[in-house]
Amino acid sequence: MKIFPRFRHPLWTHAAGAAVYAFMLYRLAVARLPERIPMHFDLSGRPNRWGSPSEFALFVVLLPLFFLAFGLVIDELWAGEERDRKRFNFFAPLDEFFIGLFATFFLSYVRDPGVVEKAGLAADPLLMAALAGGAAAAAVLLELMRPFEPSPPEPHASAAGAAETRERILSAARPLFWQAQDPAWMRILSPGLSLLLLAASVSILLSGGPAAVLAGVPLCLAGAAFMLVCWGGIRVIVNEDAVEVRLGYVGARLLRLGLGEIASVSVVDFSPLRDFGGWGIRYGRKKTWGYFLRGRRGVLLVSAAGKRYLLGSDDPERLAAAIEAMRERARTRASDA
Amino acid sequence: MLISLDDGDPRPLYLQIAAAVKREIFSGALKPGDPLPSVRELSAMLEVNLHTVHKAYRMLRDEGILAFRLGRGARVASPLRPPASPRSARLAVRERLRDLLAEAWCLGVSPREVLDMLAEEAEKQKAPQERSGSA
């Protein structure tokens, strides 16, 4: 399964994080771990849940990998945004910083497990500065050294496709137009985060206090349910009455705009990061609601009341043609009546 | 994806849905790997029975045009499966052409006119293989 056609952002910018991770794996392999290891801590840093050495090892192996994978995805999305010039990616040192921070606590523990059990979770400040600060600083340097490669422009659909869509909608008996954005990262993130949040709610239920259970469990379950609803991506449906935006296979309705309420339809270029601060369901610049999961082109709808909605699309010319043709049908129907 | 159902069309609804999907793939609007609406979603949008859409999708899957994968819903097969036997595929097309000519004759359109229309449409739209070859 291809998430990206190829990586534009070089992987060597994560060398510092990978080095700290490799050192942690080495220390884990040679460490003599006790039978009972603190796995969860309360707000004062005291252990409130204990686990086995294998659970501890799994945690140490997987958590930095998650940080690295998250960093790779963010960096690649960032590189995709660099069309005309290189921009400093301030997300670049984040994964190295968190891996360094995690390594500090891990190394402090394996050096002397008894200290944590007696005095609570603590880390050597010098070690923290060296690992978290050093890894983050190295990541900043590597990011500055990264060469710039402009991302290719978005392909524009042919005008013939849009014209044919318009012609077919105008002559059809009961037309319906449907478009979806369902990228691979969403198909991974949606069930993955749902499972993580479900696991978190079970963990809180088993080990948390009454306040944590009351606040944390419903929050985690609501988050898991939302991520499951996102499975299937964002869908745009244009029928004879309205333009609808729906979420996932469940089809939760995010927007319904009657064709009569639409004042203008236009194909626009936009920057997900600059204009909306990311991907998904967003409220961005110029008081515009955005619904998109990939790409930098879409259809801007402005309602008669002045509200603005941007629908991301892999083929915005065709989507705009479909909306315009449906509006034309609606106007003809109204004048006939 | 653009789908249009016509109550005046003599073809059953599931064949109209299947034909619309094939047309979208032929025109290049749907590419191998592209998602399609789920059976439940499409039946709700078109206001038809679940089984009608399911029958259309199953037929397209059997023809190697759609693929179903757990967690990914219905997608355009990638790559599109070639027909099992080119000879039987040509026979099937020929059979449909005969039906089309008979239908056209009943509507008052001569075979010559059908031929001209066919040449015109073929010129307008290139098959997916020709498009990828010329790119």
Side-chain angles (χ1 to χ4, degrees):
Chain A
M1 177 166 47
K2 274 187 183 176
I3 297 178
F4 303 108
R6 69 188 179 87
F7 268 87
R8 282 182 291 258
H9 202 288
L11 298 179
W12 51 256
T13 57
H14 296 275
V20 174
Y21 179 52
F23 184 63
M24 281 168 68
L25 291 185
Y26 162 72
R27 286 293 288 128
L28 182 69
V30 298
R32 292 180 62 190
L33 298 171
E35 285 301 301
R36 223 170 61 115
I37 301 176
M39 292 299 297
H40 196 270
F41 301 86
D42 61 18
L43 288 176
S44 60
R46 301 270 174 189
N48 59 5
R49 194 176 75 77
W50 302 76
S52 64
S54 54
E55 184 186 345
F56 179 72
L58 200 68
F59 188 61
V60 173
V61 169
L62 291 184
L63 198 70
L65 270 186
F66 172 76
F67 287 138
L68 275 176
F70 196 69
L72 288 180
V73 172
I74 294 284
D75 288 354
E76 180 56 21
L77 291 173
W78 186 279
E81 282 297 302
E82 294 177 327
R83 271 183 289 176
D84 45 3
R85 66 186 173 85
K86 183 180 164 182
R87 297 163 191 273
F88 179 73
N89 175 5
F90 50 84
F91 288 112
L94 276 185
D95 49 335
E96 274 69 32
F97 177 74
F98 284 120
I99 291 173
L101 208 63
F102 182 68
T104 312
F105 286 108
F106 164 75
L107 292 174
S108 300
Y109 177 74
V110 292
R111 194 192 290 162
D112 190 353
V115 173
V116 174
E117 288 168 29
K118 285 186 199 117
L121 191 66
D124 181 357
L126 272 178
L127 189 65
M128 188 181 285
L131 282 176
V140 169
L141 270 179
L142 292 171
E143 165 61 21
L144 287 171
M145 285 161 59
R146 173 176 66 85
F148 167 59
E149 186 190 341
S151 59
E154 293 274 301
H156 283 235
S158 69
E164 197 220 344
T165 301
R166 182 180 178 280
E167 190 186 309
R168 279 175 61 193
I169 288 179
L170 289 178
S171 61
R174 259 204 293 159
L176 173 87
F177 188 82
W178 181 93
Q179 259 190 10
Q181 284 198 321
D182 184 18
W185 64 264
M186 181 49 114
R187 291 199 299 274
I188 297 168
L189 199 69
S190 162
L193 263 183
S194 295
L195 281 175
L196 269 178
L197 286 166
L198 274 178
S201 63
V202 171
S203 165
I204 295 171
L205 207 60
L206 293 177
S207 61
V213 170
L214 273 178
V217 172
L219 209 65
C220 285
L221 288 179
F226 176 73
M227 286 317 297
L228 265 189
V229 169
C230 292
W231 201 354
I234 288 178
R235 284 115 195 279
V236 177
I237 299 150
V238 189
N239 58 31
E240 289 183 283
D241 301 317
V243 177
E244 290 184 7
V245 180
R246 289 176 178 266
L247 189 60
Y249 293 116
V250 174
R253 189 193 286 167
L254 300 172
L255 170 72
R256 187 181 193 279
L257 199 59
L259 293 174
E261 296 171 53
I262 299 172
S264 76
V265 180
S266 53
V267 174
V268 291
D269 287 325
F270 67 98
S271 163
L273 280 176
R274 202 175 52 238
D275 298 337
F276 290 93
W279 289 258
I281 306 156
R282 299 264 168 177
Y283 189 65
R285 278 182 179 183
K286 295 180 190 168
K287 297 180 178 174
T288 306
W289 276 101
Y291 307 89
F292 50 86
L293 294 176
R294 67 176 163 215
R296 295 187 292 259
R297 305 186 70 232
V299 174
L300 179 70
L301 302 179
V302 181
S303 76
K307 291 184 177 170
R308 296 160 64 86
Y309 305 96
L310 179 71
L311 317 181
S313 171
D314 300 342
D315 191 349
E317 279 80 9
R318 200 163 180 244
L319 176 59
I323 298 172
E324 286 287 19
M326 291 288 192
R327 288 177 73 206
E328 204 174 322
R329 277 178 73 100
R331 280 195 294 267
T332 314
R333 210 171 44 191
S335 63
D336 288 351
Chain B
M1 184 171 82
L2 176 58
I3 290 191
S4 171
L5 296 184
D6 186 354
D7 296 330
D9 191 322
R11 292 175 300 171
L13 290 176
Y14 80 93
L15 283 182
Q16 290 187 43
I17 295 170
V21 173
K22 285 179 186 173
R23 189 166 170 179
E24 288 291 289
I25 296 169
F26 178 70
S27 72
L30 280 178
K31 294 170 194 70
D34 277 355
L36 269 82
S38 67
V39 170
R40 194 184 55 81
E41 194 180 359
L42 189 58
S43 64
M45 290 190 296
L46 293 173
E47 295 172 352
V48 298
N49 195 291
L50 270 174
H51 298 292
T52 307
V53 179
H54 192 254
K55 197 170 174 182
Y57 275 19
R58 209 175 47 209
M59 193 183 95
L60 291 167
R61 184 199 58 193
D62 294 344
E63 290 178 9
I65 289 167
L66 293 190
F68 298 108
R69 275 166 69 178
L70 190 68
R72 295 186 67 187
R75 284 178 185 261
V76 179
S78 173
L80 286 173
R81 197 175 70 193
S85 149
R87 192 168 175 273
S88 63
R90 280 185 175 76
L91 276 175
V93 172
R94 192 175 287 275
E95 202 54 42
R96 281 173 213 178
L97 279 177
R98 284 185 188 129
D99 288 347
L100 175 70
L101 287 173
E103 191 75 34
W105 182 79
C106 291
L107 292 167
V109 181
S110 73
R112 171 56 56 192
E113 282 173 285
V114 173
L115 200 62
D116 290 345
M117 285 155 85
L118 198 61
E120 203 179 300
E121 286 299 319
E123 190 56 40
K124 261 201 284 187
Q125 298 185 25
K126 285 182 174 176
Q129 295 90 326
E130 290 175 54
R131 270 197 298 274
S132 59
S134 63

